[in-house]
Amino acid sequence: MLSSKASCISHGQDSSYFLGWQFYEKNPFDVVKNPAGIIQMGLAENQLSFDLVESWLRKTPDAMGLKNKEGESVFRDLALFQDYHGMPAFKNELVEYMAKIRGNKVKFDPKNLVLAAGATSANETLIFCLADPGEAILLPTPYYPGFDRDLRWRTGVEIVPIHCSSSNGFRISMHALEEAYERAQKLNLKVKGVLITNPSNPLGTTMTRDELQNLITFAIHKNIHLISDEVFSGTVFDSPCFISIIEAAMDSNLERNADVLSRIHIVYSLSKDLGLPGFRVGMIYSNNQTVVAAATKMSSFGLVSSQTQYLLSCMLANKKFTSKYMKENQRRLKKRKEMLVSGLKRSGINCLKSNAGLFCWVDMRHLLSSNTFEAETDLWKKILCEVRLNISPGSSCHCSEPGWFRVCFANMNQSTLEVALRRIKGFVERSRLNYQQNMGGFSRRLLSNWVRKLSSADHREEHER
Amino acid sequence: MGLLSRKATCNSHGQDSSYFLGWQEYEKNPYDEVKNPRGIIQMGLAENQLSFDLLESWLAKNPDAAGFKRDGQSIFKELALFQDYHGLPAFKKALVDFMAEIRGNKVTFDPNRIVLTAGATSANETLMFCLAEQGDAFLLPTPYYPGFDRDLKWRTGVEIVPIECSSSNRFQITASALEEAYEQAQRKNLRVKGVLVTNPSNPLGTTMTRDELDLLVNFITDKEIHLISDEIYSGTVFSSPVFVSIVEVLKDRNLENTQVWERVHIVYSLSKDLGLPGFRVGAIYSNDPIVVAAATKMSSFGLVSSQTQYLLSAMLSDKKFTKEYIAKNHKRLRKRQSKLVAGLEKAGIGCLESNAGLFCWVDMRHLLSSDTFEAEMELWKRIVYDVKLNISPGSSCHCSEPGWFRVCFANMSEDTLTLAMQRLKSFVGSTASNDRSHQEMKNSRRKFRTKWVFRLSFQSFHDREQDER
């Protein structure tokens, strides 16, 4: 009766990424009302710099009140504005902002920018433009769990993973690219492109120039596309400096620049840098005119509210604000990340060295009972139910090695992070103690009790509202 | 072009139709009372520009709604972070109440069954993805909104099979037309998944009769298929007969909580009633929990900005305002439609009798040089280029009879409409006299006719260049 899309589960929402979220919803931490609740550390939101935006809003009431600089109402024009080419003033500001994030080392043409209702919409639209059902896109692992839905569900396109490993900091090697391509061929899947997230989610690292050059060379060689999801580009808070794919492509060492540029497409959004996921502002940037034309028409299915386009075009037009915001936001992200890293270190837990993003890629391999994904899931459940932290297990990000977790740091206040770190410390100490006791030949009964208590449903129910 | 997808390189976005081409011509030479009084008047855009003052006045009295404040407190952070695809509860509640109010509160809607989307464009496409596979078909009565060719078919791969309606019975849907369409789909080896109707109709401007609605319910029950009722114009019903929603019919026939109940889905939007197409507010309403669940997840690809959800939840929760708005808006639409109808009448042109919408379905069959679509195209071009009115030819709406045009009346000022009617009257007058002299010339020397024809076409070419900016 319904379509297979409606009745199947390939929207990917049965993964632990979403299940942990559901658990949290039933028992959310609140410092006053529910101090024993689950702390949400699985949501990559930036809540650190709202005060800066709110201060700008207070000084600029007309932007909210739909009035122009002369105090005249622009309500009517905005109410009627549904042009899928997007508001020119807004696009002009966006490309300038994007260039600023890249240290003005590249310049963008607003005509090549297509607005979409969030990066979710932008990514899906790009896939509709670049691949037919049954074709494939290569993605380096680990990757954002949402891609399983965004890139595949309604498009019918497949994802083939490029396996990356901790042995080299999860960097993408030429070998891994070739291996993934061959795997796709063996599966009879025609590869149409590679999609990378740079800075990476969930790693929090920026790509090196070498990695980018490898990717470009690979794309040219295989005659495929390269999508660079740069939604976290404004969250680079530490060196090395962010290098955009466009910058790498402009490298004079590369021949056939126009050809290269026609196969590179960037996705951006204001959800992560500016912390405005609710406003649904995403975009595609491409030098390929056919892609721009098709994506523009497709954006009809997810246009950005003109009310929002207007507000944000006013905000981004204020260069003093954007400069101050970028600097201060990055400073706060760096500080918060360092707090997480040092806190974890005190518990004997290391993170992948990172310079961007709203999360750390945390190494808990030493806490696994065995080097398996089952053990990772057990550990994840313990952390969710006993430690009461919702973090994302590496398996939900298709990581090929068990024991890694993505832990967000920017979606809570400082004292909440302190609570979370204390809980982790307590958990690690208890685990160590129990391990020692176990190893010391303590009675089996006690161990069984402890194991039983940890995994019992009662324990969960106690905390559920 | 193997590097891009077929969707990116094909033409099934339907944007080569005259609907969009006329728009483009208008863009090159748009009418402006002061700056370009001889420009093209846009009468091809179904927008409601008649009641903005009411909205602006509400906004002025309620600055907190746009100012991210609730009870004087800033809720900016909460809204900035709100991306829950279940939608803002207060907004969904206000929206279903508004939908019920439009239907005279004869039916009620459950906010848990509504899914918000970025406009009806997104809602319709999402419903296709939920109800049909690539290669399946939906039946649509003609004439229909040209955008459906893109919205329903492009990325979904679903086909449209027309239910041919004719002027002989005011373009109403008949049982035989439904059966004929179904059989046509079968002959094409297309599996029919449902029927999609627009009620009130675009481009007809009429509301469906209870008989038509009963017919549809019977048909979808018999064939075990879906019914999508696109009711985006439900708030623009300005005169009798009163709007009867499909849900009202199901209720009256005691079909609530039956299988057919779960196969009827409504699409709504605030773009037409409230005149807010820029804000991208659409919705799907369904009694099938699986459809609601799937559509909710799919709405991730086109969520409504939380900033906009909040503003409109405040506005639609103001029942005093909504009551006043609905009444005044109807009054203004009715008045404006009458003006168009009267103006056309003075030019000897009739319309289909209508009680809703932002346009009239105009009968220009008598102005065609022959009863063909080629003649309709010729007439349309003359109206766009010579009369300088952008109206929509029936062929772009897949009408099976040539000579009908959709003419919008709510997207311009009253003066502009008056001017448009004057132009049309002159055109018809000169066409009539040209026809007469044409007849005379036919009886006299051929030479004259040749010269006259040459002069006319040269003149229109010249005019075009002169007016292009």
Side-chain angles (χ1 to χ4, degrees):
Chain A
M1 261 285 90
L2 302 182
S3 69
S4 55
K5 286 179 182 71
S7 13
C8 73
I9 52 166
S10 69
H11 48 73
Q13 280 185 216
D14 297 321
S15 82
S16 53
Y17 177 76
F18 294 102
L19 287 173
W21 203 338
Q22 282 170 32
F23 252 87
Y24 161 77
E25 293 278 314
K26 289 187 207 161
N27 181 21
F29 171 83
D30 182 289
V31 70
V32 174
K33 296 180 242 174
N34 189 22
I38 298 177
I39 297 176
Q40 174 64 284
M41 302 189 90
L43 212 48
E45 281 173 355
N46 180 5
Q47 295 192 25
L48 304 191
S49 303
F50 279 126
D51 58 315
L52 303 176
V53 178
E54 281 184 282
S55 147
W56 176 85
L57 281 171
R58 274 192 302 274
K59 290 186 212 142
T60 328
D62 280 356
M64 292 184 287
L66 308 178
K67 292 201 181 92
N68 61 18
K69 283 199 209 80
E70 288 81 42
E72 295 158 346
S73 170
V74 291
F75 172 75
R76 218 185 109 111
D77 288 337
L78 291 177
L80 291 172
F81 187 85
Q82 56 172 331
D83 184 351
Y84 57 28
H85 292 102
M87 206 170 279
F90 186 41
K91 296 213 299 183
N92 287 338
E93 297 304 338
L94 280 170
V95 297
E96 277 191 43
Y97 186 67
M98 285 171 72
K100 196 167 180 162
I101 284 174
R102 292 157 182 71
N104 288 311
K105 281 174 279 177
V106 289
K107 206 164 174 310
F108 297 99
D109 182 349
K111 290 201 198 68
N112 291 340
L113 192 73
V114 181
L115 301 179
T120 301
S121 177
N123 277 316
E124 191 200 41
T125 292
L126 256 185
I127 300 299
F128 269 125
C129 289
L130 304 179
D132 287 315
E135 295 181 335
I137 303 283
L138 308 181
L139 259 69
T141 65
Y143 63 76
Y144 162 58
F147 280 148
D148 288 323
R149 172 196 68 192
D150 299 353
L151 309 182
R152 297 186 325 161
W153 190 17
R154 307 190 308 179
T155 61
V157 172
E158 290 297 333
I159 292 175
V160 174
I162 302 162
H163 293 302
C164 300
S165 94
S166 58
S167 61
N168 73 336
F170 295 95
R171 297 281 168 203
I172 304 171
S173 66
M174 235 354 185
H175 170 80
L177 281 167
E178 289 289 351
E179 200 275 319
Y181 191 86
E182 274 157 41
R183 212 175 336 114
Q185 305 236 280
K186 283 204 200 83
L187 292 167
N188 270 323
L189 296 168
K190 182 169 177 201
V191 175
K192 293 308 284 285
V194 180
L195 187 150
I196 56 170
T197 308
N198 181 28
S200 164
N201 175 10
L203 303 176
T205 52
T206 49
M207 286 194 167
T208 62
R209 201 173 280 273
D210 281 347
E211 273 181 292
L212 294 168
Q213 303 284 21
N214 276 348
L215 281 159
I216 294 171
T217 305
F218 182 75
I220 295 172
H221 185 240
K222 301 290 190 218
N223 192 24
I224 59 179
H225 294 275
L226 194 46
I227 300 173
S228 183
D229 183 336
E230 301 188 349
V231 295
F232 290 99
S233 49
T235 69
V236 180
F237 48 74
D238 216 340
S239 61
C241 204
F242 175 61
I243 304 170
S244 166
I245 187 77
I246 293 258
E247 201 190 319
M250 304 287 241
D251 205 311
S252 54
N253 284 337
L254 285 168
E255 295 165 3
R256 297 180 286 153
N257 251 352
D259 170 64
V260 172
L261 287 176
S262 74
R263 57 178 84 244
I264 289 176
H265 321 282
I266 292 179
V267 168
Y268 184 54
S269 138
L270 299 183
S271 302
K272 307 296 176 184
D273 307 0
L274 288 179
L276 305 173
F279 288 5
R280 313 317 302 146
V281 181
M283 60 215 80
I284 295 166
Y285 187 88
S286 177
N287 286 294
N288 184 320
Q289 296 311 311
T290 312
V291 171
V292 171
T296 298
K297 295 182 178 82
M298 285 191 188
S299 70
S300 303
F301 301 109
L303 295 174
V304 180
S305 167
S306 58
Q307 180 196 11
T308 301
Q309 291 193 51
Y310 182 68
L311 175 72
L312 297 177
S313 68
C314 293
M315 190 169 86
L316 296 181
N318 187 328
K319 305 302 180 196
K320 209 161 147 235
F321 167 78
T322 55
S323 295
K324 180 179 170 194
Y325 183 90
M326 278 174 64
K327 198 162 163 223
E328 180 58 18
N329 181 45
Q330 284 164 12
R331 190 192 70 82
R332 293 178 186 187
L333 287 170
K334 182 174 180 187
K335 186 166 171 226
R336 188 59 72 82
K337 174 233 151 186
E338 280 167 358
M339 186 181 157
L340 174 64
V341 170
S342 52
L344 288 173
K345 210 172 161 98
R346 279 196 293 277
S347 303
I349 298 173
N350 290 322
C351 302
L352 183 72
K353 186 154 183 275
S354 68
N355 63 325
L358 309 172
F359 33 74
C360 284
W361 190 236
V362 181
D363 185 356
M364 298 204 195
R365 287 177 292 177
H366 60 296
L367 297 175
L368 295 182
S369 58
S370 61
N371 184 24
T372 62
F373 285 110
E374 288 75 27
E376 179 186 281
T377 304
D378 284 343
L379 178 58
W380 172 70
K381 281 181 187 159
K382 263 193 218 142
I383 294 176
L384 181 62
C385 304
E386 184 194 314
V387 192
R388 279 161 285 122
L389 303 177
N390 179 34
I391 64 179
S392 312
S395 51
S396 71
C397 304
H398 301 276
C399 187
S400 40
E401 303 169 27
W404 292 87
F405 290 79
R406 187 190 79 167
V407 179
C408 299
F409 56 73
N411 65 308
M412 68 201 71
N413 62 30
Q414 198 173 303
S415 49
T416 306
L417 182 54
E418 280 162 11
V419 172
L421 290 169
R422 274 201 299 273
R423 287 185 188 178
I424 290 175
K425 194 150 192 285
F427 168 71
V428 169
E429 275 165 10
R430 281 195 305 277
S431 307
R432 203 176 290 137
L433 197 63
N434 278 314
Y435 177 80
Q436 283 168 355
Q437 287 173 334
N438 194 28
M439 286 300 100
F442 211 83
S443 81
R444 279 179 65 86
R445 194 166 41 103
L446 265 171
L447 177 64
S448 314
N449 276 345
W450 172 76
V451 167
R452 206 177 32 245
K453 212 185 334 161
L454 271 183
S455 46
S456 83
D458 293 341
H459 202 76
R460 264 200 297 280
E461 286 190 331
E462 211 174 87
H463 295 124
E464 272 175 20
R465 278 209 211 146
Chain B
M1 255 288 167
L3 202 52
L4 299 181
S5 68
R6 284 190 287 271
K7 289 176 181 73
T9 45
C10 72
N11 281 329
S12 60
H13 47 68
Q15 280 186 214
D16 297 325
S17 81
S18 52
Y19 177 74
F20 296 101
L21 290 172
W23 203 337
Q24 282 171 31
E25 280 308 309
Y26 162 77
E27 293 281 314
K28 289 185 212 164
N29 182 21
Y31 168 81
D32 182 286
E33 199 182 352
V34 175
K35 294 181 244 172
N36 190 22
R38 291 179 56 215
I40 298 177
I41 296 176
Q42 174 65 283
M43 304 190 89
L45 212 49
E47 283 175 349
N48 181 4
Q49 295 192 20
L50 304 189
S51 302
F52 281 129
D53 58 318
L54 303 175
L55 299 171
E56 282 179 293
S57 141
W58 185 90
L59 276 173
K61 289 188 214 140
N62 297 273
D64 280 4
F68 300 104
K69 290 205 180 96
R70 188 199 290 136
D71 304 325
Q73 301 280 78
S74 170
I75 53 165
F76 174 75
K77 189 175 135 150
E78 189 188 311
L79 290 174
L81 290 172
F82 187 84
Q83 55 172 332
D84 184 353
Y85 55 29
H86 292 103
L88 206 66
F91 182 45
K92 295 209 301 184
K93 180 78 182 59
L95 193 57
V96 299
D97 284 351
F98 187 66
M99 285 170 71
E101 194 173 352
I102 283 173
R103 289 155 184 73
N105 288 310
K106 281 173 280 178
V107 288
T108 55
F109 296 97
D110 179 353
N112 293 319
R113 295 184 182 183
I114 200 163
V115 180
L116 301 176
T117 60
T121 300
S122 178
N124 279 314
E125 192 201 38
T126 293
L127 264 179
M128 285 298 114
F129 274 124
C130 288
L131 305 179
E133 305 294 345
Q134 186 144 342
D136 287 343
F138 257 77
L139 310 181
L140 264 66
T142 65
Y144 63 77
Y145 163 56
F148 281 148
D149 289 324
R150 174 195 66 193
D151 300 352
L152 308 181
K153 300 193 322 175
W154 190 17
R155 306 192 306 179
T156 62
V158 172
E159 290 296 334
I160 292 176
V161 174
I163 302 161
E164 306 287 6
C165 299
S166 95
S167 57
S168 61
N169 74 335
R170 301 177 69 247
F171 295 95
Q172 287 182 40
I173 301 172
T174 63
S176 66
L178 281 165
E179 285 294 342
E180 165 52 37
Y182 191 86
E183 275 156 39
Q184 204 208 346
Q186 307 237 281
R187 280 194 296 272
K188 287 183 176 176
N189 272 324
L190 296 168
R191 183 172 64 155
V192 176
K193 291 312 286 287
V195 180
L196 187 150
V197 300
T198 307
N199 180 29
S201 163
N202 175 14
L204 303 176
T206 53
T207 48
M208 285 193 163
T209 62
R210 203 172 271 271
D211 282 348
E212 278 177 287
L213 294 166
D214 276 330
L215 202 61
L216 283 165
V217 171
N218 295 343
F219 183 73
I220 65 159
T221 305
D222 178 46
K223 305 288 191 224
E224 290 182 85
I225 59 179
H226 295 273
L227 177 61
I228 299 174
S229 184
D230 183 334
E231 301 188 350
I232 64 173
Y233 290 98
S234 48
T236 68
V237 181
F238 50 76
S239 68
S240 64
V242 152
F243 176 60
V244 179
S245 167
I246 187 74
V247 286
E248 203 187 320
V249 168
L250 291 168
K251 191 175 167 205
D252 292 346
R253 287 172 60 164
N254 289 320
L255 290 169
E256 274 168 318
N257 304 311
T258 59
Q259 277 196 355
V260 71
W261 172 253
E262 290 194 350
R263 291 202 306 271
V264 174
H265 321 280
I266 293 179
V267 168
Y268 186 56
S269 144
L270 298 181
S271 302
K272 307 296 177 184
D273 305 357
L274 288 181
L276 303 173
F279 287 7
R280 313 315 302 147
V281 181
I284 295 167
Y285 188 89
S286 176
N287 292 303
D288 183 335
I290 303 178
V291 171
V292 172
T296 298
K297 295 183 178 80
M298 285 191 188
S299 71
S300 303
F301 301 109
L303 295 174
V304 181
S305 167
S306 58
Q307 176 191 19
T308 301
Q309 290 192 52
Y310 182 65
L311 172 67
L312 297 176
S313 73
M315 189 188 282
L316 296 183
S317 300
D318 185 345
K319 303 297 185 202
K320 192 158 162 265
F321 168 76
T322 56
K323 192 167 172 201
E324 185 194 327
Y325 181 92
I326 290 173
K328 283 201 174 133
N329 185 44
H330 284 174
K331 193 163 165 216
R332 295 173 184 188
L333 287 170
R334 183 169 55 241
K335 188 168 168 225
R336 190 58 77 81
Q337 184 252 24
S338 306
K339 199 176 157 78
L340 173 65
V341 172
L344 289 169
E345 225 175 81
K346 282 202 198 77
I349 298 173
C351 305
L352 184 71
E353 204 189 322
S354 67
N355 62 326
L358 309 172
F359 33 73
C360 284
W361 189 235
V362 179
D363 186 356
M364 297 202 195
R365 288 176 292 176
H366 60 296
L367 297 175
L368 295 183
S369 58
S370 62
D371 182 25
T372 62
F373 286 111
E374 288 74 26
E376 181 184 281
M377 266 299 111
E378 273 169 36
L379 177 59
W380 174 68
K381 281 179 187 161
R382 287 173 72 192
I383 295 176
V384 172
Y385 294 117
D386 300 344
V387 191
K388 306 227 199 62
L389 303 177
N390 180 35
I391 62 179
S392 311
S395 51
S396 70
C397 304
H398 301 276
C399 187
S400 44
E401 302 170 27
W404 293 87
F405 291 78
R406 188 191 78 168
V407 180
C408 298
F409 55 73
N411 65 308
M412 68 200 71
S413 71
E414 207 174 327
D415 289 341
T416 307
L417 181 58
T418 304
L419 175 63
M421 293 298 95
Q422 275 163 11
R423 287 187 187 175
L424 202 52
K425 189 158 186 279
S426 308
F427 167 72
V428 171
S430 72
T431 306
S433 66
N434 275 331
D435 278 354
R436 273 197 304 278
S437 51
H438 201 76
Q439 229 10 69
E440 282 160 16
M441 271 188 241
K442 245 172 117 175
N443 302 334
S444 73
R445 287 162 295 172
R446 279 177 67 89
K447 196 174 35 132
F448 259 123
R449 185 167 77 213
T450 316
K451 233 160 100 178
W452 168 77
V453 166
F454 179 72
R455 194 159 22 122
L456 259 187
S457 34
F458 175 82
Q459 190 166 2
S460 41
F461 179 80
H462 186 69
D463 276 346
R464 260 200 300 280
E465 287 203 312
Q466 211 174 69
D467 294 324
E468 268 173 22
R469 279 208 210 150

